[in-house]
Amino acid sequence: MNLDDLIQLVQEVDGFAAFVRGLQPRYVLELGTGAGATAAKIMAALPQTSRFVTINWPNPPSGDPVGEQLVPWVGDSRLKQILGDTRDLGVVDQV
């Protein structure tokens, strides 16, 4: 990824966070937490009455840690992190 791509990515994620802030959703579902950069922006933008669920494979092929940027929100009642396969009905039931 070159610098221009990185700048564009940051602008897009910041723009999405502004959209979430303006929309004030009650529920947000994210598939594919990754490191949690987008999820962290969403959490920062959500009102206290919202609920945010993010689902990711427990052991992604990349080997990267899942949700590491969500550490500041561990214990926040708005956040629910699910590690699992979305094709598994047991995982879907957790949402």
Side-chain angles (χ1 to χ4, degrees), residues 32-63:
T33 312
T38 302
K41 293 279 188 176
I42 291 170
M43 282 300 296
L46 283 179
Q48 291 299 315
T49 55
S50 295
R51 179 143 170 100
F52 179 53
V53 178
T54 182
I55 304 172
N56 203 84
W57 288 93
N59 299 304
S62 66

Side-chain angles (χ1 to χ4, degrees), residues 70-92:
L70 289 173
V71 170
W73 289 279
V74 169
D76 188 314
S77 63
R78 298 174 298 162
L79 176 64
K80 181 172 187 176
Q81 290 181 269
I82 301 172
L83 298 177
D85 185 341
T86 56
R87 297 172 295 183
D88 178 349
L89 292 179
V91 170
V92 174

